[in-house]
Amino acid sequence: MKERLEALRTEALKELEDVQNPQQLNDLRVKYLGKKGALTEILRGMGGLSAEERPVIGQVGNEVRAAIETVIEEKQAVFLQAETEGRLRAETIDVSLPGKQLPAGAVHPLNKVAQEIEDVFIGMGYTIAEGPEVETDFYNFEALNLPKDHPARDMQDSFYITDEILMRTHTSPVQIRTMKAMNGQTPVKVICPGKVYRRDDDDATHSFQFNQIEGLVIGPDIRMSDLKGTLLQFAQEMFGKQTQIRLRPSFFPFTEPSAEVDVTCAQCGGHGCRMCKQTGWLEILGCGMVHPRVLEMGGYDPNEVSGFAFGMGVERIALLKYEIDDIRHFYTNDLRFLSQFVRM
Ligand SMILES: [Zn+2]
């Protein structure tokens, strides 16, 4: 029996030498020291031994067990250390590695131009007024001197929701809303930026939705010369100090007299080029003195106060400023186009 125990020790220690991982180690522990293990199996035969032999064999059995356990514990310590080192290696953070670069966004060119226009007028003491994009026929047309049978309504084919409600075709209704809110008080000095909607087919210069900025000034003794000076100041801040403007007579139902405003072409300095179609001038906005009927509709007495108004398309200003040839670039969100404005 003693020989069998010695043989078991030799075999166990030999097998333990080659153990590769904690799983194998555990398997060997079960195999030799477990309840149904080899050592228990041998010692179960002790019942047949004499009283003298029993303690001797018992001691040998304990020695064998202790020897195997010692080796198992040593191996376990080695595995534990290897695991700790491995985890430390895997969880190391190299702070010298370059980080992932996130692409920087940019303000959309239309918003950028709108903000620039707003800034120019805020600098002249204007405040910003806003109104709903879904308007009543009264604010969008009637109060602006465009009664139901007015032929100029055809000029702006509209998206009607009901007979009386439509998507606003211009930001002019905000002028009426502002006047009514002021309740006859002066001065009024606002710009009204916002989206407007018309039933246009999209092409290089038209869109069913675009952005306008309108301005309105009302007070005692406001004159056409005030309007002209304001627009010259605006044009020079927007397109450069050398910019000149000219007013051409025009017609709008809500202003009288009315004019269209051109600026000298920044590309050629007014000498004529492809961009200005050789004229040296570029049209940028419409304007005029507020029509007496519109003043009345807004709650003012045209005999006591006067005013001017102007309106421009943000897309048009952006096209001219950045020399872009197609407004569809503004809406199709092609990053190759938009990314050009990142650092502008
Ligand atoms: Zn030109």
Side-chain angles (χ1 to χ4, degrees), residues 222-236:
I222 298 289
R223 299 162 187 231
M224 192 91 182
S225 52
D226 298 318
L227 171 61
K228 195 175 175 185
T230 299
L231 295 177
L232 178 63
Q233 171 85 12
F234 163 71
Q236 292 186 339

Side-chain angles (χ1 to χ4, degrees), residues 31-195:
K31 176 177 172 185
Y32 289 107
L33 306 180
K35 273 181 191 162
K36 293 174 182 171
L39 183 62
T40 318
E41 191 67 29
I42 296 171
L43 295 179
R44 204 168 281 153
M46 276 173 71
L49 295 175
S50 66
E52 293 80 36
E53 281 177 313
R54 220 177 281 167
V56 179
I57 293 301
Q59 189 172 351
V60 175
N62 284 340
E63 280 171 19
V64 171
R65 175 184 294 277
I68 295 173
E69 272 177 351
T70 305
V71 175
I72 286 176
E73 274 165 24
E74 281 169 11
K75 288 273 175 191
Q76 212 159 26
V78 170
F79 285 133
L80 194 66
Q81 196 181 350
E83 192 198 322
T84 307
E85 280 173 7
R87 193 186 309 139
L88 283 176
R89 249 195 316 280
E91 291 177 0
T92 300
I93 295 169
D94 183 351
V95 292
S96 68
L97 271 177
K100 279 183 193 160
Q101 211 166 14
L102 295 171
V107 178
H108 191 280
L110 284 182
N111 289 337
K112 205 171 149 45
V113 167
Q115 281 165 15
E116 278 179 47
I117 296 170
E118 287 169 17
D119 284 347
V120 171
F121 286 103
I122 287 169
M124 290 192 260
Y126 286 70
T127 55
I128 291 178
E130 287 179 319
E133 290 175 24
V134 179
E135 261 299 359
T136 63
D137 185 273
F138 173 80
Y139 281 109
N140 193 78
F141 287 129
E142 212 140 332
L144 288 156
N145 202 26
L146 279 152
K148 285 230 183 324
D149 56 352
H150 198 288
R153 284 195 180 206
D154 290 340
M155 284 160 42
Q156 347 181 303
D157 266 0
S158 321
F159 290 112
Y160 274 93
I161 292 160
T162 69
D163 281 351
E164 291 300 321
I165 296 172
L166 71 158
M167 303 301 289
R168 67 179 178 193
T169 57
H170 45 194
T171 44
S172 311
V174 185
Q175 298 187 13
I176 304 296
R177 288 179 177 278
T178 303
M179 283 191 253
K180 285 195 175 288
M182 288 293 282
N183 211 7
Q185 285 180 297
T186 57
V188 174
K189 208 172 171 185
V190 292
I191 49 167
C192 321
K195 291 193 199 76

Side-chain angles (χ1 to χ4, degrees), residues 265 268 272-273 276:
C265 174
C268 61
C273 69
C276 57

Side-chain angles (χ1 to χ4, degrees), residues 265-278 280-282:
C265 174
Q267 178 104 317
C268 61
H271 300 296
C273 69
R274 226 181 54 160
M275 189 163 162
C276 57
K277 298 195 179 80
Q278 309 304 328
W281 294 95
L282 295 164

